[in-house]
Amino acid sequence: MSKPEPSIDQWLKEAKADPKAAQCGMFLTHNGIVRITPKKQVREGVQGLGEVAKVQFSYDAEGVAAAEREALTWPGVYYVRTWMNEGELGVGDSIMYVLIGADIRPNCVDALQKLVGKIKNELVVEKEIYA
């Protein structure tokens, strides 16, 4: 069972009201979702797996919180917020949201890429179930 999704509009309002918001020249969001095409097919070219019917998803909550704190030490990053789903997710369901606020575009883009990569590569467990 998945969790209720946050409002990105609300997140942005809260981020812009944060005391460090005046340092931010850019906010970027990431919304990862369950896709029908298997990860091994997209990333490695493996064929014949079938379509994704659902994903069993879990994550290390303490690790994600630590990753958020770490991201705030990266160049130009002043705001970080994440939301992670959990349980059995269907195609089109959101897996995660990430919001980064940084001083300039290169710092914001780099931080978003680095944080999402860390979460996906080190802090989540995803098991695709094929149709």
Side-chain angles (χ1 to χ4, degrees), residues 26-108:
M26 181 177 211
F27 287 96
L28 281 178
T29 60
H30 166 81
N31 175 213
I33 62 171
V34 177
R35 69 177 169 274
I36 201 165
T37 310
K39 184 185 289 189
K40 284 189 175 193
Q41 181 178 333
V42 172
R43 296 189 186 273
E44 301 169 26
V46 175
Q47 298 295 317
L49 296 171
E51 293 182 336
V52 173
K54 57 187 170 183
V55 170
Q56 293 290 335
F57 185 81
S58 61
Y59 65 99
D60 173 354
E62 290 180 18
V64 171
E68 287 183 30
R69 291 189 300 273
E70 178 187 344
L72 288 168
T73 70
W74 298 340
V77 176
Y78 293 94
Y79 192 87
V80 177
R81 188 164 182 182
T82 65
W83 172 89
M84 308 294 293
N85 210 339
E86 60 187 350
E88 188 172 285
L89 309 177
V91 172
D93 286 347
S94 291
I95 296 171
M96 75 169 73
Y97 284 96
V98 177
L99 174 64
I100 297 279
D103 54 359
I104 58 174
R105 181 176 29 86
N107 288 339
C108 204

